[in-house]
Amino acid sequence: MVTVVCALAAGLLLVGAVAQVTDLLRHGLQGYDGAPGWLNLCGSSPALLDPLAAARLIEGKGRGTGFACAVMTIDLAARASNS
């Protein structure tokens, strides 16, 4: 059961990574107008971190779950602070 949940979560992370890469291609690294550079970097980082978290989940490493949660928290915090 855990393996199915991890595979599903990894798939969703990969979908998120595709969305992030699409945003980067459309808007570049400065996707958040008027936001400081660090916030733009945090907002763009899931393009790289999502696939890494997905790989950790697929490997079955215990730290994959924590890493995936950290990546999602960073992404949500960056988006919330720019709203």
Side-chain angles (χ1 to χ4, degrees):
M1 181 64 173
V2 173
T3 306
V4 173
V5 172
C6 287
L8 180 62
L12 293 172
L13 283 165
L14 292 174
V15 168
V18 169
Q20 292 288 342
V21 169
T22 302
D23 283 346
L24 281 173
L25 292 174
R26 285 187 192 155
H27 306 290
L29 289 174
Q30 298 295 321
Y32 301 109
D33 293 332
W38 67 269
L39 184 57
N40 277 298
L41 181 61
C42 282
S44 302
S45 65
L48 175 65
L49 297 177
D50 280 354
L52 291 174
R56 296 289 294 188
L57 286 171
I58 291 169
E59 286 176 355
K61 303 285 185 198
R63 288 181 251 164
T65 305
F67 185 60
C69 289
V71 170
M72 288 185 269
T73 301
I74 290 168
D75 189 29
L76 289 172
R79 291 178 188 279
S81 66
N82 192 41
S83 300

